[in-house]
Amino acid sequence: MNRTPLIAGNWKMYKTVGDAERYIQALLPRVAGLEGVEIAIATPYTALAAMVDSTRGSRVGVYAQNMHEAAEGAFTGEISAPMLVELDVAGVVIGHSERRQYFAENDRAVSLKVAAALQAGLLPILCVGETEEERLAGDTERKLRHQVQEGLEHTPPERIAEVAIAYEPIWAIGTGRVATPDQAQEAASFVRALVGALRAGVDDQVRVLYGGSVNAANAAELLALPDVDGALVGGASLDAESFAAIAAAARERTR
Ligand code: PGA
């Protein structure tokens, strides 16, 4: 197994361009030595161009938090994959539970976005995860099966390995209630098996991340799990020091 760990920060709707510039100057020296760890930060659209400039030549990739599935069109307020690629954005978070919940993003749109991102040359992070109700009802696997299969439906099988899949239990996002290592490992391994069922051998290649209340104190334990190849980090990615500490915890995985 030689899957490069991916530590991705998701700033959500936080930080002006000025905030982003101060943050990146604090982050870069702290992560410069982390060989073997891929680091990404998904910023608001408004900070993308400045962040791409400031991170050039570093190990930090700049990601978007969403995109439209069409290359262009009459879709007021939307941004397309070619527009992100033109800025040298490296990847994009797709189907985050906040997009699904507050902006009515459905599985079909998510699936088209994943395929369009890949086609344009962006690395997609596809987010999946169950609500607390679904977990309590024993429906976690059913939900994950549905979201993984639907989310990858339009992706050509030979490109599935390029998609990173973030398992993010919705009850753990922004709540401080992190999944237990057993819960995270069980779900990540299930997601990996689902991908393997879509195309043999891809289960060994695809990166599965955990997301939901990851912080500098719990990251090492989660990142040591055999099927967790990285983390999608919200709140704790807003502070350069704590985000760097999480990335440093992933370094252990590469040893
Ligand atoms: P959190 O968010 O780390 O603040 O729980 C994770 C996410 O939304 O991706």
Side-chain angles (χ1 to χ4, degrees):
M1 176 196 80
N2 59 351
R3 299 186 295 265
T4 304
L6 172 61
I7 303 298
N10 171 17
W11 283 356
K12 311 191 179 184
M13 199 172 72
Y14 291 97
K15 295 197 193 292
T16 63
V17 176
D19 296 336
E21 290 286 9
R22 281 185 290 278
Y23 174 101
I24 201 66
Q25 296 318 324
L27 182 72
L28 290 179
R30 288 180 162 88
V31 299
L34 298 181
E35 266 122 62
V37 181
E38 203 175 312
I39 299 169
I41 302 181
T43 79
Y45 292 127
T46 45
L48 289 173
M51 286 289 278
V52 166
D53 269 353
S54 301
T55 55
R56 236 180 259 289
S58 79
R59 62 179 57 260
V60 177
V62 177
Y63 281 41
Q65 299 173 11
N66 177 39
M67 54 169 255
H68 194 276
E69 61 269 30
E72 60 182 9
F75 301 110
T76 302
E78 293 291 311
I79 302 277
S80 75
M83 294 171 184
L84 298 172
V85 168
E86 184 189 38
L87 295 184
D88 278 346
V89 167
V92 57
V93 177
I94 293 186
H96 189 281
S97 63
E98 287 154 14
R99 298 289 324 162
R100 297 180 192 253
Q101 183 181 350
Y102 304 132
F103 303 97
E105 234 173 69
N106 58 31
D107 286 310
R108 180 181 155 75
V110 167
S111 171
L112 293 171
K113 288 178 185 204
V114 171
L118 280 174
Q119 207 194 355
L122 297 168
L123 193 156
I125 299 178
L126 166 63
C127 302
V128 299
E130 82 286 1
T131 63
E132 178 153 47
E133 268 171 26
E134 287 163 338
R135 176 162 282 270
L136 292 174
D139 275 344
T140 299
E141 293 197 345
R142 187 192 55 75
K143 175 74 172 292
L144 294 179
R145 181 180 301 110
H146 177 81
Q147 287 189 322
V148 170
Q149 288 175 352
E150 295 266 317
L152 295 174
E153 197 187 336
H154 290 89
T155 297
E158 68 278 9
R159 300 207 64 184
I160 290 177
E162 297 167 58
V163 181
I165 304 182
Y167 166 63
E168 297 206 299
I170 293 167
W171 46 270
I173 295 179
T175 59
R177 276 179 60 203
V178 65
T180 65
D182 281 353
Q183 288 170 331
Q185 167 56 27
E186 190 180 22
S189 134
F190 183 70
V191 166
R192 189 178 301 291
L194 289 171
V195 174
L198 292 176
R199 185 174 170 90
V202 174
D203 43 337
D204 266 348
Q205 297 162 16
V206 77
R207 291 186 290 187
V208 181
L209 317 183
Y210 168 79
S213 296
V214 175
N215 60 36
N218 61 29
E221 187 174 32
L222 292 160
L223 293 168
L225 298 169
D227 283 299
V228 173
D229 304 312
L232 183 55
V233 186
S237 76
L238 292 172
D239 175 70
E241 203 170 326
S242 68
F243 188 56
I246 294 167
R251 178 91 198 280
E252 298 306 311
R253 211 183 154 72
T254 67
R255 291 192 169 151

